[in-house]
Amino acid sequence: MQRKHIRRVCAIGIGAALAVSFSVPALADNGTDTTALRDAVTAEGLLEHLEALQAVADANDGNRAAGTSGYEASAEYVEAQLRAAGYDPVRQYFEYQQYVESAAGLEQVSPNPIVYVDQEDFDIMEFSGSGDVTAPVTAVDVNLAGDRASTSGCEAADFATFPAGNIALMQRGTCSFRQKVDNAAAAGASGAIVFNQGNDVPGDDRFGLLFGTLNPPAEFADIPAAGTSFELGAEFATTEGLVLRILAEATLETVETFNVLADTAGRTDRTVVVGAHLDSVAEGPGINDNGSGTAAILETAIQIAELGDDPRNRIRFAFWGGEEDGLQGSSYYVSQLTKREIKDHALNLNFDMLGSTNFVRFVYDGDGNAFGTAGPNGSSRIEAVFLDYFASQGLATEPTAFDGRSDYFAFINNGIPAGGLFTGAEDPKTAEQAAVFGGTAGEALDPCYHQECDTIENVDLTVLEQMADAVAHSVWTFAETTSAVNGTARGGGNGVANQEFMGSNLLK
Ligand SMILES: [Zn+2]
């Protein structure tokens, strides 16, 4: 089954160009010696897993996407490896609705007939309504001047004079795309266009083509809805007598898939969930995204078993399904936890893309000092464990925001502290980053991100081993900690005040 187009701006990301961080907060590390485990996690061991996942993709239409034979074979490989090491992996099944687009179009009918190009000029939002609409366009409370602050379409009052039957032209800002589109539909709009806001936010593209989702809810909106760039949106807003045509056609398909979970012994009331998504996008084999994170946690699990010491706290290795369709597996996992079980989760460590060829060593900004959105209590401690570790190795790092682009989201959203690592996706490397980390400024951190070329050739084994050693260090450190990671305020804190993504797609 062919999935949507090559546009998922995958999970994670947005490398912001900030200062290299070597800060060493107090009490970060409990002094656990992780040398033996780190020595046991080697590039050769990691490479073996990457080769196996590449072979799986080669034998299954070139991908390992959720719901496909390639995903099943990926899971079978991971399960066999875990069993051989003495684990007893289980599958946690779930299903979800996938938006499958079959037709997309945007045209200017008058005054200047123009056919716009899908994925270059516009993108039909996920969970857009289907329809073929031609109508005059009415701008709704847009702001093209100054700071371009926008609440466009967020209030019913914005539509007080809106002519029913027209297409509503709205600007990104303040509320979710779903809210804008639902308000437009309620006001009688026949279609909706949302253009990028056109304001400067560090590390966030607020000018280019907007790839949005109307999920949640995972249901069709009432009208067709497209996203576009600030430039084209501003042109639409200032064109007299503009008539557009929007075409959208899609079905919802039920995907049945599963997570693979494997536990160590240890205190169950301080469970350490170590996660990496196991699914790829449909467009390629997904060896960096996320064979690299899969290999790192799998090899860590195997070597912990090899060394034979039971951890003080239970480690639960989680290979998530359906991440590329909107963090489905990790969200399902957390949704199934009782309040008591949530309290028994000490933390989540998330590893999504660890071998980018033009890498930056990103650490999630748990304390919010770089991006203003802190994770729940304890997240700063997790960040500090990584920063201490990299500093001890003489390796530079940079913070990356908690913005909802990967599987830690459901954890932080439920008050469970989280942290993790990432080496970069579609963002171009800045000159500052190239000066610190080497590589090529101006080129994507992962030049094959979500593409067919995300093969075993698309992984830098040296950085992957560095990151995998940090994975091993953090996992064993938290598995051996004798204190609660999140102090006394369990289940407190918040991490989603500025959540902008639902997995791959923008929410607002
Ligand atoms: Zn990913």
Side-chain angles (χ1 to χ4, degrees), residues 251-275:
T251 54
L252 295 186
E253 287 178 15
T254 302
V255 176
E256 289 183 339
T257 186
F258 56 89
N259 301 319
V260 176
L261 306 173
D263 291 352
T264 65
R267 274 180 68 154
T268 57
D269 64 337
R270 283 203 185 134
T271 297
V272 177
V273 176
V274 179

Side-chain angles (χ1 to χ4, degrees), residues 10 20 54 56 66 80 108 118 188 223 240 270 289 314-315 338 346 351 433 436 447 454 496 504:
C10 168
V20 179
Q54 179 69 58
V56 161
Q108 183 170 159
D118 188 16
I223 53 176
E240 295 271 331
R270 283 203 185 134
D289 184 10
R314 174 169 70 180
I315 309 167
T338 63
F351 302 107
Q433 290 169 336
V436 174
D454 185 8
V496 293
S504 316

Side-chain angles (χ1 to χ4, degrees), residues 362-373:
F362 288 113
V363 176
Y364 293 130
D365 180 29
D367 60 12
N369 69 345
F371 296 93
T373 303

Side-chain angles (χ1 to χ4, degrees), residues 170-190:
M170 297 175 285
Q171 185 175 10
R172 179 182 180 186
T174 308
C175 63
S176 70
F177 303 136
R178 183 70 188 219
Q179 198 173 334
K180 292 174 194 275
V181 170
D182 283 353
N183 284 344
S190 56

Side-chain angles (χ1 to χ4, degrees), residues 347-368:
L347 73 156
N348 167 236
L349 297 172
N350 187 63
F351 302 107
D352 189 357
M353 303 178 71
L354 302 184
S356 307
T357 53
N358 196 27
F359 65 88
V360 167
R361 288 183 213 92
F362 288 113
V363 176
Y364 293 130
D365 180 29
D367 60 12

